[in-house]
Amino acid sequence: MISKHPNLSATESFEESKIAQNIEEPEEVKAHLDTDSSFIADNPLPRVVLRPNNYSLLDGEWKFSLDEEDRGLREGWYLGHKYDHTANWPGSVEEHMAKTKGEVQTPAWQDKLVAWYEREFTRPEKLESGGKRIYQITFGACGYETRVWLNGRLLTDVEGGEVHYGEYNSFSFEINEDHLLPVNWLTVRISHSMDAEVPRGKQESHVYKRGGIWYQTYAGAVRSVWLETVERNRLRSRVGVQSLIEDSLVRFSFTTRIQDPGQYTLRLNIFERDAEENDAPISTSDYPLRLEAGQKQQYVVIEVPNALLWSPEDPHLYKFEAQLIDSTGYSAEIAGHFGLRKIEARGRHIYLNNEEIYLDGILYQPGTATYDEMRRHMYAMKDLGCNLVRVHIAGIDPRIYNLADEIGLLLWVEVPSPHSSTRRSRENHRRELLRMLALIETNPSVIIWSLYNEDWGAQDIATNPETRNYIMEIFHLMKIRYPQFLVVDNDGWQHISYEGKLKSDLLTAHLYTPELPRWIELLDKLTAGEMEGVAVLPLVIGDQYFYRGQTPLIVSEWGGFGFSDYGGPKSAEERTNQILAFKQELRKRNIAGDVYTQATNIEDEKNGLIDFHTGELSVPAGLLSTRSLPESTTDKKRRKKAK
């Protein structure tokens, strides 16, 4: 079944095409097809910015074979191969391996793994409109190394690479329509390894083996793949949003992809989020552009009159529609939502929209959760009283960012880290960061980025100037290019000081103890500005740093009660009481926020507050909210000062 996004009218139907035959549609796709043409939040594809095009999901049953001796490239499997098994896409290669061997447990693998997938699809209808549109195949996420062939022809992605490196973000291939046959075959080769220089978060490697806080690998065909129509000359579905709330201005960053050089007009329309199809925009503006062939980034600014701001208490969203119009009047369009918000770190405090905010956070590790399970987790974390979710060094379905925008949850995101510190690992880290930023620059919910966590992948941060210089370079890049975010250099400890200035917007510490007296001692040392004897390693390295209240303090990991390595009570009632006691001590001090560890159980870490599958809470709702506590000493002082 072929469907199109309901927001904007498409120019051609695929109704006669059988490209997705024999594929059972997910429930969200079926619901999607039944909706009217008004803008809705539901989005059956793993993407943030929407395109009013036709698309066909290529999910479902694929042919599958492991290539244990890595013979497939030499033997030309992409030209024809007898596959031993079938596998359901999306799904991890570990799951597919288990099913082929009839095992219940996902098998472990060492060093290198190569898997091949293939499926057929019938030729879609021939495109018209004077050759202004083309076909494109998009992978929601796949990897770590992915090669794709169409009818035995190796494809080059829109970034110009024959191999896509990465496993957390989408990538696309433009299709020459002349290369399509009545029946086509799509072949995918996925290669992964235990390489510690590759960004992998908390998935095991040659350095960190599975067990405790290190997890089973989850690689391969992990998100949907689809065939879609796109315009030859278009706006790419990556949009940056920076708000200037004092002037009700929004600066948009668009990326144009042009095959036919010429004069174009970028038209930007702003609507209320719930605007009807025929409602007039609340703001509109045209920007004439002379565009050459290739890709180009372009900033434009627009005023949103009497703008309402986005916050967790009032997550007010607007809709944008952006059109790239050529000299004949033909339009290529993308659409999405955004919110106006401002985040700042000033002195000891964090300010959202120029108002002080305390971050009631929780650590979230999605692991192998499905999109529906992640949705349940997000609502449950909101029910716990959190206004912040720290998505811990993992890639997630981009629709979760949109959900956070809608329900009012602040997000702290992190680059999945490599596990060794080398020049190559830093190059891989940089590429992964830039890929993530390109696709997560739209959402107002995202306020904090971590470059590293606990020096994983930067173990020599205290001794190697190259490592420190790299992190400082990225920090400065983000502060200039992405001012809408707060940036943490290395979360937990060993923050970098250069000439006495911290290269992090936040001074964060990971404090684990099940003993309340020890907890009080650690918090007192932290707020007194002691840099050693607080966390596992010194809080700051490099040049001497004097705290003196100039940076917000965040206890970005604490608790873990129930996990044997961290200690703490086992029963839900004991855990509840201890969390309340620890939280009260946090709020008595000049601390700007905290992040409880963690939302759900994951493998050996049995310290979750939320059922992984159902989303049910094992502790009372509101437990992690500051508002549920007796008024703290710090809050009393602030209220008295305000009077």
Side-chain angles (χ1 to χ4, degrees), residues 131 232-233 258-262 264 291-293:
R232 281 171 52 85
N233 307 296
I258 301 298
Q259 300 192 40
D260 304 307
Y264 291 83
L291 298 174
E292 302 300 327

Side-chain angles (χ1 to χ4, degrees), residues 322-337:
Q323 301 170 316
L324 188 66
I325 306 168
D326 67 17
S327 58
T328 71
Y330 186 84
S331 174
E333 191 165 357
I334 57 176
H337 69 251

Side-chain angles (χ1 to χ4, degrees), residues 464-568:
N464 188 349
E466 286 189 13
T467 300
R468 292 198 300 276
N469 288 338
Y470 166 72
I471 295 173
M472 289 192 290
E473 174 195 344
I474 296 297
F475 174 77
H476 292 149
L477 169 69
M478 293 194 66
K479 296 312 296 178
I480 294 170
R481 176 63 180 79
Y482 306 97
Q484 68 269 43
F485 304 127
L486 300 178
V487 182
V488 177
D489 56 348
N490 177 47
D491 185 55
W493 48 70
Q494 297 206 108
H495 299 280
I496 298 171
S497 172
Y498 181 75
E499 297 180 347
K501 187 173 183 180
L502 202 65
K503 296 304 176 179
S504 178
D505 288 319
L506 306 173
L507 184 56
T508 66
H510 295 177
L511 310 182
Y512 285 111
T513 177
E515 304 298 331
L516 187 58
R518 175 61 175 161
W519 177 246
I520 293 171
E521 178 188 354
L522 290 174
L523 294 182
D524 287 341
K525 286 184 175 182
L526 178 67
T527 52
E530 296 188 28
M531 297 293 110
E532 298 193 24
V534 179
V536 172
L537 292 171
L539 285 189
V540 177
I541 51 92
D543 295 332
Q544 191 66 41
Y545 175 74
F546 301 96
Y547 169 58
R548 304 294 196 272
Q550 63 178 306
T551 308
L553 292 172
I554 304 285
V555 181
S556 52
E557 288 187 28
W558 67 277
F561 303 141
F563 181 40
S564 58
D565 287 4
Y566 297 160

